[in-house]
Amino acid sequence: MAAANLLSEEEFSCPVCCDIFRDPVLLSCSHSVCRTCLQQFWETKGSQECPVCRRRSSKSDPPCNRALKNLCEAFLESRSQRASAEFEVLCSLHNEKLKLFCLEDQQPVCVVCNLSKAHKNHNCCPIDEAVCDFKCTLILWRKRFIHICTLYIFLHHLPFQCQAQHTERQIKEEFEKLHQFLRDEESARIAALKEEEEQKSHMMRRKIEEMNGEIESLSDQIRNLQKEMEAEDILFLPHTPKEPEKVSALLINVAKHLSSLKFRVWENMQKILQYTPVTLDPNTAHPHLHLSDDLTTAECRPQTSLLPDNPERFEVYPCVLGSEGFNSGTHCWDVDVGGSEYWALGVIRESESRKGSSVWDSVWSLHYSKSSNEYWISCPGQADHVLTPTEKLQRVRVQLDWDRGKVTFTDLITSSHLHTITHTFTDTVFPIIYSYSSPVRLLPAKISVMIENQSVVC
């Protein structure tokens, strides 16, 4: 096994535990991991992914990498021999082998030294145990170093600028929609004003033409009367001419165009406005959960960009929280679960860690699994309660009454009550959504404008 001596310890280190491979297995992506480390990693992640490249493993029980296992065993044996040879150093005082290690003076000693005044009553251990302890300490320091380096990189490469630029772009797009709506409203109202102006102008031209005809007719009558009067044979004047017809509604209806103009524009703005009682927080979304730009839709898909592993982000389950927590009052939000094969809706305690598999210990929720075709209610410290809806759920309403300690689930399609969870809440809770396949979407609430009449008392 001379080849083992040519390789460094890093070549024989597991990428998960950073220790020499123990029973290494070979994944379909050609990476090797300790069997125990792989099983723990899969249990934590909830999916059979490679810890190195995140590719999904095609086998639930990967084969043993015997070649690597043999090399690791040879490497450990060689290192042990080298360590034994290195530590078989004679004591400079007593010419004895240094087989002990003084824990108080932190130095190797021989048997005679252990009995001498210099090390009398000191705690000593076999030097092999001390080497093993130092090795474990070194591994811990190495992991600590890697953690600090990772944290350093995380803090110095947080996507603040990318987030800010993306958010700024979205804000500008939303305001551009509002600006375009206002421009369209302005154009429509100016067009209505121009149309009325054209109608009034047409009416005025028609009236002027009619009046010109009447003027000509009256002029002819006046000339005829003058001729008759000059002939001095007129006995009486003809009938008295009628009064000129008064023309109304010739002015622009200014009040129609300006009355409560801002309110009328705002009233029409409801066509493009959308209010969602709950929006999603992208900083809490699992890396495989993709959120829509308006933060109302969550879809599970392969990760395409590197996201920071911040404490708020879910690590194991594809979950995301609402952007606002509740510690009082009544709150309600509707969710379109559509064709999702596995989903969960509910609320979670704010203090619950987003890492690890213990997330559901603080979640009050409704679940669905297509594989078992079951709906069930999950509550901390209680057995799951199976539900049997008459039809497949498409849209679900979640209502939280924090003060009364109730979480109610309702089928929006049939308006039927599904279940009510009772619990005395003491902490802030956040809406939580779990989605494993098709998109899950938060539905907008209906918006209405109500004008309150104020009575004046004299």
Side-chain angles (χ1 to χ4, degrees):
M1 293 295 177
N5 298 327
L6 300 177
L7 301 175
S8 64
E9 182 174 345
E10 294 182 357
E11 301 294 334
F12 299 103
S13 298
C14 171
V16 177
C17 65
C18 300
D19 200 356
I20 303 300
F21 282 106
R22 301 182 300 275
D23 190 16
V25 294
L26 182 62
L27 299 175
S28 56
C29 58
S30 300
H31 289 117
S32 294
V33 188
C34 292
R35 187 181 298 276
T36 303
C37 296
L38 182 64
Q39 294 300 329
Q40 292 177 351
F41 180 80
W42 283 358
E43 290 176 3
T44 303
K45 293 293 290 183
S47 60
Q48 296 180 357
E49 297 179 356
C50 171
V52 180
C53 65
R54 305 299 184 185
R55 285 185 58 184
R56 191 171 183 84
S57 175
S58 58
K59 298 179 180 179
S60 59
D61 186 17
C64 176
N65 191 339
R66 297 190 181 279
L68 180 59
K69 183 178 181 181
N70 293 335
L71 285 172
C72 290
E73 292 175 352
F75 178 79
L76 289 173
E77 182 179 357
S78 175
R79 189 175 66 177
S80 177
Q81 293 175 355
R82 290 197 306 269
S84 299
E86 289 174 0
F87 284 107
E88 286 184 358
V89 180
L90 299 180
C91 175
S92 60
L93 297 177
H94 307 102
N95 202 28
E96 295 286 340
K97 291 183 179 180
L98 299 174
K99 294 185 176 182
L100 300 176
F101 187 81
C102 180
L103 298 177
E104 297 186 18
D105 294 328
Q106 292 291 300
Q107 66 180 32
V109 296
C110 68
V111 177
V112 181
C113 290
N114 186 34
L115 300 174
S116 65
K117 292 182 179 180
H119 299 281
K120 190 174 182 180
N121 298 326
H122 286 187
N123 292 325
C124 296
C125 68
I127 199 164
D128 291 341
E129 292 184 7
V131 170
C132 184
D133 291 340
F134 275 115
K135 177 186 174 184
C136 294
T137 304
L138 181 62
I139 292 175
L140 292 177
W141 277 105
R142 181 182 178 186
K143 290 183 177 180
R144 176 66 176 170
F145 176 76
I146 293 174
H147 174 73
I148 293 176
C149 290
T150 303
L151 183 61
Y152 178 86
I153 295 173
F154 166 71
L155 293 177
H156 281 75
H157 294 84
L158 280 175
F160 288 138
Q161 293 183 345
C162 293
Q163 278 188 312
Q165 292 173 0
H166 181 68
T167 305
E168 180 181 354
R169 183 169 63 254
Q170 288 181 275
I171 291 174
K172 288 183 177 180
E173 290 176 357
E174 290 300 317
F175 270 94
E176 177 56 30
K177 293 177 183 177
L178 294 175
H179 294 159
Q180 186 59 47
F181 171 82
L182 293 176
R183 287 193 291 266
D184 293 342
E185 280 287 314
E186 179 186 11
S187 299
R189 293 179 182 277
I190 291 178
L193 175 62
K194 294 296 183 181
E195 182 180 0
E196 182 179 358
E197 180 186 12
E198 182 63 28
Q199 291 176 353
K200 301 296 184 180
S201 298
H202 178 72
M203 184 185 301
M204 288 290 292
R205 288 193 296 269
R206 182 168 56 81
K207 289 297 182 181
I208 290 173
E209 291 176 359
E210 292 177 358
M211 292 178 67
N212 286 334
E214 290 182 7
I215 290 174
E216 292 180 0
S217 175
L218 287 174
S219 298
D220 292 341
Q221 291 181 15
I222 290 173
R223 283 193 296 271
N224 293 334
L225 286 174
Q226 288 177 344
K227 291 179 180 179
E228 292 177 359
M229 290 175 65
E230 290 174 356
E232 295 183 356
D233 57 355
I234 183 170
L235 299 177
F236 58 88
L237 291 174
H239 64 276
T240 305
K242 64 180 180 179
E243 290 291 332
E245 180 183 356
K246 294 182 179 180
V247 181
S248 60
L250 287 178
L251 298 178
I252 296 295
N253 190 351
V254 177
K256 182 183 74 172
H257 298 286
L258 296 180
S259 178
S260 302
L261 176 61
K262 297 176 182 177
F263 174 80
R264 299 304 175 192
V265 172
W266 176 64
E267 192 176 29
N268 290 339
M269 194 178 288
Q270 294 180 77
K271 300 173 185 177
I272 65 169
L273 292 181
Q274 179 174 300
Y275 171 73
T276 307
V278 170
T279 54
L280 305 176
D281 183 0
N283 293 336
T284 66
H286 185 274
H288 288 179
L289 269 188
H290 176 78
L291 304 186
S292 59
D293 288 340
D294 60 359
L295 304 179
T296 61
T297 303
E299 181 179 5
C300 192
R301 63 173 68 167
Q303 183 179 354
T304 57
S305 59
L306 183 62
L307 297 176
D309 186 21
N310 48 304
E312 302 87 358
R313 192 177 304 282
F314 284 95
E315 178 186 41
V316 178
Y317 299 101
C319 297
V320 62
L321 297 187
S323 58
E324 180 182 0
F326 307 120
N327 56 13
S328 64
T330 301
H331 310 273
C332 178
W333 57 96
D334 301 335
V335 186
D336 184 352
V337 293
S340 182
E341 298 180 359
Y342 194 108
W343 52 263
L345 310 173
V347 295
I348 182 174
R349 187 183 292 119
E350 179 184 20
S351 57
E352 181 60 35
S353 173
R354 317 291 161 75
K355 312 300 181 182
S357 57
S358 63
V359 172
W360 300 106
D361 293 344
S362 298
V363 178
W364 295 264
S365 52
L366 166 64
H367 296 248
Y368 169 71
S369 173
K370 183 179 180 181
S371 58
S372 60
N373 194 27
E374 283 186 341
Y375 298 90
W376 68 92
I377 297 293
S378 177
C379 298
Q382 300 181 19
D384 293 342
H385 175 70
V386 178
L387 299 180
T388 55
T390 55
E391 298 180 3
K392 183 180 179 181
L393 299 180
Q394 299 289 332
R395 296 187 173 187
V396 178
R397 169 167 293 173
V398 184
Q399 182 170 331
L400 167 68
D401 190 338
W402 195 96
D403 300 323
R404 296 184 178 181
K406 293 182 179 181
V407 182
T408 303
F409 300 96
T410 307
D411 183 355
L412 275 181
I413 303 297
T414 61
S415 299
S416 57
H417 172 263
L418 297 173
H419 189 81
T420 296
I421 299 173
T422 56
H423 177 79
T424 302
F425 295 107
T426 56
D427 302 330
T428 300
V429 294
F430 280 78
I432 183 173
I433 289 180
Y434 173 97
S435 177
Y436 191 71
S437 55
S438 300
V440 171
R441 181 171 64 94
L442 289 160
L443 298 174
K446 293 183 179 179
I447 302 175
S448 61
V449 177
M450 183 177 66
I451 303 174
E452 182 179 354
N453 293 323
Q454 296 181 352
S455 56
V456 180
V457 180
C458 299

